[in-house]
Amino acid sequence: GQNGLSQASVFKEAMEISACAITKLDGTPKGGMIFSIAKDLNIPTKLIGLGEGIDDLADFKKDDFISAIFD
């Protein structure tokens, strides 16, 4: 949970970040970190991992993600 926000903050201090990718999405708390990172650090999510391989990365679609949380 909060570890993701802390890590993103440290990375942002060290270098310029234009977007992030969330991988190993296996729970709503981890997925919810997307909103904190976007709001608190102004870093949008560009990619989302839907499996374990490189081919399982997909473009992040905010509306689809929100719908999946509330289904």
Side-chain angles (χ1 to χ4, degrees), residues 37-55:
I37 291 171
K39 180 181 176 215
D40 296 347
L41 301 176
N42 199 30
I43 302 171
T45 298
K46 178 149 178 96
L47 299 169
I48 191 163
L50 304 173
E52 295 188 17
I54 189 73
D55 294 330

Side-chain angles (χ1 to χ4, degrees), residues 26-70:
D26 57 2
T28 309
K30 189 175 290 183
M33 190 51 49
I34 290 172
F35 302 112
S36 294
I37 291 171
K39 180 181 176 215
D40 296 347
L41 301 176
N42 199 30
I43 302 171
T45 298
K46 178 149 178 96
L47 299 169
I48 191 163
L50 304 173
E52 295 188 17
I54 189 73
D55 294 330
D56 296 321
L57 284 175
D59 289 334
F60 176 71
K61 296 178 180 143
K62 176 180 66 173
D63 293 335
D64 292 348
F65 182 78
I66 291 170
S67 292
I69 288 175
F70 292 108

